[in-house]
Amino acid sequence: MSRKIYINSEIVSEENAKVSVLDHGYLYGDGVFEGIRAYNGRVFKLDEHIKRLYQSAKTIMLKIELTPAEMKEAILETIRANELKDAYIRVVISRGIGDLGLDPLKCKNSTLVIIASKISLYDPKFYEEGLKIKTVPTRRNGPEMVNPRIKSLNYLNNIMARIEANLMNSPEAIMLNSEGYVAECTGDNIFIVYDGELITPPITAGILRGIKREVAMQLAEELGLNVKEMLFTRHDLFNAEECFLTGTAAEVIPVVEVDGRQIGSGKPGPYTNNIIEKFRELTQSTGVPIYK
Ligand code: PXG
């Protein structure tokens, strides 16, 4: 079945969902996006994703034609049009059709696209065995450049890192910030358990404020773990008891090896496994209902 796509207040078939080549999203990567998941008929953390979307747009002075409440309805409507219960939802807002030349004043209306699709799940063996990943040369761009808190259409920094990971046969890339501290992965935030505490880099390290990151921090506290946002280095990472990544695509996924160093026992650690279990319970039972 062809997907139904929301584009500028209409829902059309995939074949008819077209964006102009003069859209500045295409010409300059000028725009913002969100990646959202629905589980079991509910959209997980929808309000949080919408809030981050509007914050990204505000910072780049991109006007969204819909109010947040209308955006929420448009997202739900798109999922319903595709009759999905479990979904991956991509909301993309680009600067809109302009002229050649990067001045956004030339673009009168932003373009809104919502895609709701089936999710391709990660191989379950990754959750049982854990990932073996590597650090890459490309550094995460810092907040003094395009702030990583903006979920912008300009992902080349992370794509460069992903290419380097591919060259090293690594399924994800650990990116350091310009000072050499661990920042995040190309599409996931990173956590370590060190001396029995859960540590993750602070937002000021130059990272996306991941929504699953916040969920993992909350779940860890409920499990009695002390949670700290603190800078750490590869040395800390190599010597951590446990490591895991969080993100919309990967959810919570264990890491058992970094740059050839075994992490902890070399198997997903007990805290990580508990957080994964709690995370699954939460995604299956909470969120905004899609169908009345
Ligand atoms: N860091 C970066 C750089 C990301 O892009 C995350 C962390 C995790 O954030 P959330 O809010 O998802 O916990 C992301 C999220 C995609 C895709 O299509 C990428 C993300 C999310 C959804 C889809 O590659 N990145």
Side-chain angles (χ1 to χ4, degrees):
M1 193 188 84
S2 155
R3 275 183 284 234
K4 299 269 188 290
I5 313 284
Y6 181 105
I7 176 161
N8 295 330
S9 60
E10 272 188 277
I11 292 185
V12 301
S13 66
E14 192 172 327
E15 298 73 38
N16 295 319
K18 298 214 165 76
V19 177
S20 165
V21 293
L22 290 174
D23 192 302
H24 279 206
Y26 179 72
L27 288 176
Y28 298 108
D30 184 355
V32 296
F33 78 102
E34 272 299 321
I36 310 171
R37 292 246 328 233
Y39 298 85
N40 195 24
R42 295 165 187 270
V43 187
F44 190 60
K45 299 282 173 191
L46 180 56
D47 292 324
E48 288 80 354
H49 281 284
I50 290 175
K51 185 173 173 194
R52 188 171 67 183
L53 180 69
Y54 280 76
Q55 288 184 346
S56 292
K58 181 165 191 179
T59 295
I60 71 160
M61 297 189 87
L62 176 65
K63 187 171 181 298
I64 302 178
E65 309 292 335
L66 307 187
T67 64
E70 289 166 343
M71 179 66 72
K72 190 169 174 173
E73 200 39 54
I75 291 169
L76 292 170
E77 209 184 299
T78 310
I79 308 170
R80 285 185 210 122
N82 289 281
E83 297 173 25
L84 294 166
K85 274 179 77 189
D86 292 272
Y88 172 73
I89 304 121
R90 168 65 73 97
V91 183
V92 185
I93 307 167
S94 60
R95 189 73 67 180
I97 299 172
D99 206 344
L100 294 177
L102 53 84
D103 188 354
L105 285 177
K106 298 264 172 65
C107 309
K108 295 301 169 218
N109 299 105
S110 58
T111 304
L112 167 60
V113 172
I114 306 170
I115 305 166
S117 188
K118 292 215 172 76
I119 12 160
S120 55
L121 297 170
Y122 271 60
D123 190 329
K125 87 164 195 252
F126 286 134
Y127 296 88
E128 281 148 34
E129 296 169 11
L131 297 175
K132 296 179 177 181
I133 59 175
K134 294 195 169 83
T135 310
V136 297
T138 294
R139 300 291 175 100
R140 192 71 174 98
N141 55 266
E144 72 281 18
M145 299 162 200
V146 178
N147 196 318
R149 288 188 67 183
I150 304 166
K151 211 163 158 55
S152 88
L153 293 186
N154 233 292
Y155 252 52
L156 261 189
N157 177 239
N158 298 35
I159 289 166
M160 290 298 288
R162 197 56 184 249
I163 290 169
E164 290 156 358
N166 290 345
L167 289 171
M168 295 189 272
N169 288 322
S170 177
E172 241 299 4
I174 295 175
M175 301 181 78
L176 308 179
N177 68 12
S178 59
E179 294 180 294
Y181 292 105
V182 174
E184 61 176 338
C185 294
T186 65
D188 308 281
N189 292 110
I190 188 163
F191 287 82
I192 55 172
V193 177
Y194 195 99
D195 279 346
E197 292 183 309
L198 187 68
I199 302 173
T200 195
I203 302 303
T204 48
I207 59 170
L208 183 77
R209 182 175 212 142
I211 287 163
K212 302 318 112 60
R213 173 182 178 274
E214 311 255 310
V215 172
M217 286 163 76
Q218 226 168 4
L219 294 177
E221 269 172 13
E222 285 169 27
L223 288 166
L225 258 175
N226 193 27
V227 181
K228 275 189 190 159
E229 294 181 71
M230 202 172 85
L231 290 171
F232 61 86
T233 62
R234 287 167 71 233
H235 177 81
D236 302 310
L237 185 45
F238 299 153
N239 292 289
E241 289 110 58
E242 300 184 26
C243 177
F244 62 84
L245 312 179
T246 62
T248 292
E251 308 179 301
V252 181
I253 198 157
V255 173
V256 295
E257 190 187 291
V258 175
D259 299 335
R261 280 78 158 184
Q262 176 178 304
I263 307 301
S265 66
K267 292 205 166 71
Y271 287 119
T272 304
N273 284 334
N274 277 331
I275 293 168
I276 291 174
E277 196 185 315
K278 284 237 169 204
F279 184 86
R280 288 190 177 146
E281 282 169 21
L282 194 68
T283 53
Q284 289 299 317
S285 60
T286 60
V288 176
I290 303 165
Y291 303 96
K292 300 278 150 38

